[in-house]
Amino acid sequence: MSFVLGRFGQTVLVLLVAAFVSFALFRYVGDPVNNMVGQSASLADREAMRAALGLDDAFILQFARFVGHALTGDFGMSYRFGQPVATLIAERFPATLELALISMLIATGLGVPLGVWTALHRDHWAAQALMAASLIGVALPTFLIGIALILFFSVWLGWLPSFGRGQVVEIGGWTTGLLTTSGLRALVLPAVTLGVFQLALILRLARAEMLEVMRADFIRFARARGLKPRAIQYRHALRNTLVPVVTMIGLQFGNVFAFSIIVETVFQWPGLGLLVIQAIQFADVPLLAAYLVLIALCFAVINLAVDLAYLAIDPRVRSGGGVRRTA
Amino acid sequence: MSLVALRRSMGHWWQGDLAYRFRRSPVAILAALVGLALLVAAMGAPVLAPYDAFDPAAANAADARLPPGVEGMFGDVYLLGTDPQGRDMLSAMLYGLRTSLVVGLASVAAAALAGVLLGLIAGYFGGVLDAFIMRAADVQLSFPAILIALLIDGVARTAMPQELHAELAVPILIAAIAASFWVQYARTVRGLVLVERGRDYVLAAKVTGVSTPRILISHILPNVLGPVLVIATINLALAILTESTLSFLGVGLPSTQPSLGSLVRIGNEFVFSGDWWISALPGLLLVLLSLSVNVFGDWLRDALNPKLAS
């Protein structure tokens, strides 16, 4: 129980720190007024704007107001778009989530079976080729994969679109590109680009875990009992391999969100990542501040969920001591 | 990976074990040679480059976007073509390689320095300091490094006037990348120090009245440095990729200080008109660099950890 409380406490602390950085940024970076009014605005106009934004109030009051507003999802107006930040984020979120989900689906669907296969057939030439390819996959920067795919499939072959989301359908406030042909075509290159690194990572992890398990005593014992290799591999070994692999995939989901910033920039994909890069380039502080809090929230929730899942699976965690993770 | 085994084999590398493994691995030799060649090319950029990549006068707008091997208006030969400003690609790439390597090496060094120091303190003194440092490390570990670097750099960029930021772009970028990589060093070093501080040589040093900083620096530090070097090698590739990614996104180095990433960025908009070399060539060089460092780091880790070698 104290473990759960501790984890919750840590999560809340992280969120508060993120909120504080985000507020400090919001309040003290540049002059919010300068960013909102035109060059021709008079001094009086600027003063009126300051007062309207509450920028003259005490620090604590402003922070409290910021947190209060943040809790209700209100992060103010974007300097650049002149629209509420929350609206902008809600608009862009479906694009990013779809991209992340599909690329993770590709990476997992291919990575786990291929990793298990390479572990079982270590000396096969295809397994060694896959391992070499996965090393390249880990070493390749995401933006180069994207540019290379654009060059081949869009510019030279002309098969697939290189930017945007294609046609989207709106279902109850959620825009999806998964239901139209142009939307699906537009998704292919970005999803593959985002998935390559994850695929290589999952493949290597699945292989390493499978090798580790195949060396374990209970596998040796199963062999001694005369069980068929196939039964040992898939009934005994695979099951034990999957637990860490699934955990890893859960944790990687946060990374996919981070890397979608790169993919969205390359493919001009209208998601959160593109929004935040533009926010940085145009010093759109409210947007950046909101993104900081949002991303902290996402990661805090993912990590809390993983820890709680461990708690349910592994009783050893309950007796104190955290979960050791390497990400 | 067993750190003790790692340490032991690191400790004896000069006795030939590691050198022997190196001689037996053609892949590692190739990676090391490529890496070394790139390092020489980067550091020799001012001598090797046919044109000065920083000198606007050396760029000729009439020769913009020439494909590799084509002769320019005034008889200049551009081995690898020119970029949109008529800058010689080969020269720009050599200087870009230098910037990428310098930023990568500096940020790894900074991360290692900070991480080792914090790890030593946390491991040796324990208590509140230890709890505080390690909690911070745990929290940071749950965020992707590239996101942290991006946000630190982004916040610094938004917080500063443009001219000031352009001037400080390199140190800020180094600090941002270092801040996103220190955790691994701190955790490793702390774990090792927890073991070392109970050893006889440390107790002996204490009894003979050696000061605490001296125990940490000249007694414990040399014994925990092996794994740090391994992490640093593997991190170098990551740091180089992080720098180039940030520069590509337009939040790293300004285009007046070309790194490989910003060169790719400059060429990116011309990919659609078929001018592939402006992006592809610096990109290829980056891949070569990242691959050679990665392969070497991978080999080093395996060589030091025989249990995993297959």
Side-chain angles (χ1 to χ4, degrees):
Chain A
M1 198 57 215
S2 73
F3 171 74
V4 178
L5 280 179
R7 294 294 307 160
F8 270 115
Q10 197 177 327
T11 307
V12 171
L13 203 66
V14 170
L15 288 179
L16 268 181
V17 169
F20 188 77
V21 172
S22 148
F23 167 73
L25 188 67
F26 178 76
R27 178 61 193 87
Y28 295 105
V29 166
D31 182 1
V33 174
N34 257 347
N35 288 304
M36 294 174 85
V37 298
Q39 289 283 317
S40 58
S42 70
L43 209 61
D45 285 345
R46 287 165 195 269
E47 285 307 317
M49 193 83 149
R50 283 190 79 80
L53 288 172
L55 294 177
D56 296 325
D57 294 341
F59 175 85
I60 273 294
L61 192 63
Q62 288 191 44
F63 183 55
R65 192 160 55 209
F66 179 84
V67 172
H69 285 167
L71 284 175
T72 60
D74 178 8
F75 285 94
M77 304 284 266
S78 155
Y79 293 161
R80 186 158 156 263
F81 295 93
Q83 279 178 344
V85 168
T87 313
L88 283 169
I89 288 180
E91 254 175 38
R92 302 294 194 99
F93 184 66
T96 297
L97 189 67
E98 261 176 24
L99 179 63
L101 277 176
I102 298 295
S103 68
M104 218 46 196
L105 214 62
I106 297 174
T108 314
L110 288 174
V112 173
L114 286 177
V116 169
W117 188 84
T118 48
L120 293 177
H121 304 89
R122 263 205 293 182
D123 299 325
H124 198 282
W125 64 267
Q128 293 183 345
L130 269 174
M131 281 309 286
S134 75
L135 196 61
I136 297 176
V138 174
L140 276 183
T142 305
F143 64 93
L144 281 182
I145 299 174
I147 292 174
L149 288 180
I150 287 180
L151 194 59
F152 276 105
F153 293 102
S154 302
V155 179
W156 287 347
L157 294 173
W159 287 355
L160 291 163
S162 60
F163 62 89
R165 251 188 117 185
Q167 216 172 355
V168 290
V169 181
E170 192 170 333
I171 305 169
W174 182 276
T175 56
T176 177
L178 297 176
L179 296 175
T180 63
T181 327
S182 80
L184 284 176
R185 277 162 51 86
L187 186 61
V188 177
L189 292 185
V192 169
T193 306
L194 189 53
V196 166
F197 179 79
Q198 301 300 329
L199 170 59
L201 207 65
I202 291 173
L203 188 153
R204 292 179 77 83
L205 181 78
R207 175 181 181 273
E209 289 293 339
M210 190 76 180
L211 283 177
E212 190 87 36
V213 171
M214 288 300 282
R215 267 198 295 262
D217 284 342
F218 72 92
I219 295 292
R220 209 170 293 166
F221 183 60
R223 282 213 186 99
R225 276 158 65 204
L227 295 181
K228 289 203 177 68
R230 192 156 284 272
I232 297 173
Q233 286 161 6
Y234 291 100
R235 290 195 44 155
H236 294 77
L238 185 59
R239 280 188 190 184
N240 285 286
T241 302
L242 284 183
V243 177
V245 172
V246 167
T247 311
M248 171 81 170
I249 290 170
L251 285 173
Q252 279 301 313
F253 207 78
N255 275 339
V256 172
F257 262 92
F259 277 87
S260 75
I261 296 176
I262 303 162
V263 174
E264 287 175 15
T265 306
V266 176
F267 290 94
Q268 293 298 300
W269 185 265
L272 277 182
L274 193 58
L275 197 65
V276 75
I277 282 295
Q278 289 168 346
I280 290 175
Q281 279 162 355
F282 292 93
D284 195 342
V285 178
L287 203 48
L288 188 58
Y291 185 82
L292 269 175
V293 174
L294 190 72
I295 204 84
L297 182 67
C298 280
F299 278 94
V301 168
I302 290 176
N303 284 293
L304 192 62
V306 170
D307 278 343
L308 293 182
Y310 262 122
L311 194 68
I313 297 169
D314 189 348
R316 281 173 299 183
V317 181
R318 280 175 223 160
S319 57
V323 183
R324 198 184 148 271
R325 276 199 312 262
T326 44
Chain B
M1 125 171 47
S2 154
L3 289 172
V4 179
L6 206 150
R7 217 171 57 74
R8 195 176 301 133
S9 41
M10 266 314 279
H12 293 290
W13 68 274
W14 58 86
Q15 288 177 5
D17 187 29
L18 199 64
Y20 174 74
R21 281 167 183 274
F22 182 71
R23 286 198 301 275
R24 292 274 312 262
S25 168
V27 178
I29 293 175
L30 184 68
L33 282 180
V34 171
L36 209 63
L38 291 177
L39 186 69
V40 170
M43 295 312 149
V47 184
L48 293 172
Y51 302 89
D52 185 353
F54 291 107
D55 182 10
N60 190 337
D63 290 348
R65 290 160 64 192
L66 291 176
V70 171
E71 198 168 301
M73 286 262 291
F74 306 103
D76 293 312
V77 178
Y78 305 110
L79 210 56
L80 297 180
T82 59
D83 77 351
Q85 281 114 43
R87 200 156 51 175
D88 176 46
M89 281 303 295
L90 177 61
S91 312
M93 279 163 61
L94 284 172
Y95 280 98
L97 183 65
R98 188 172 70 159
T99 311
S100 287
L101 262 173
V102 166
V103 172
L105 286 169
S107 46
V108 166
L113 196 69
V116 168
L117 200 65
L118 289 172
L120 279 175
I121 292 172
Y124 192 79
F125 296 107
V128 186
L129 266 178
D130 180 31
F132 182 75
I133 293 173
M134 286 303 121
R135 284 285 80 166
D138 279 350
V139 168
Q140 192 178 326
L141 207 56
S142 62
F143 292 83
I146 190 150
L147 189 68
I148 291 177
L150 174 76
L151 291 177
I152 293 177
D153 197 72
V155 168
R157 173 174 298 260
T158 337
M160 285 179 179
Q162 217 156 29
E163 308 80 53
L164 183 64
H165 183 273
E167 218 170 280
L168 293 177
V170 176
I172 289 175
L173 191 59
I174 291 171
I177 299 174
S180 64
F181 283 122
W182 67 274
V183 172
Q184 221 182 339
Y185 301 94
R187 288 172 69 118
T188 307
V189 168
R190 174 182 175 268
L192 292 168
V193 170
L194 283 181
V195 178
E196 295 295 327
R197 73 171 178 191
R199 292 262 163 93
D200 287 343
Y201 73 88
V202 176
L203 298 179
K206 252 189 214 168
V207 170
T208 49
V210 179
S211 71
T212 308
R214 206 183 150 81
I215 292 181
L216 280 174
I217 303 295
S218 40
H219 293 249
I220 295 183
L221 185 63
N223 285 300
V224 301
L225 224 45
V228 170
L229 285 179
V230 177
I231 300 175
T233 316
I234 295 165
N235 262 357
L236 178 61
L238 222 62
I240 290 171
L241 286 189
T242 306
E243 179 276 315
S244 63
T245 300
L246 294 184
S247 296
F248 171 77
L249 292 176
V251 295
L253 296 172
S255 53
T256 47
Q257 275 164 306
S259 82
L260 292 176
S262 32
L263 289 175
V264 174
R265 174 187 173 80
I266 292 170
N268 192 26
E269 39 185 314
F270 298 98
V271 164
F272 299 101
S273 43
D275 296 349
W276 53 272
W277 62 92
I278 310 172
S279 261
L281 294 178
L284 276 178
L285 193 60
L286 180 62
V287 171
L288 204 62
L289 179 63
S290 141
L291 256 185
S292 60
V293 178
N294 241 325
V295 168
F296 186 77
D298 220 52
W299 167 82
L300 192 65
R301 195 183 41 198
D302 284 353
L304 293 175
N305 191 7
K307 196 184 141 204
L308 276 180
S310 47

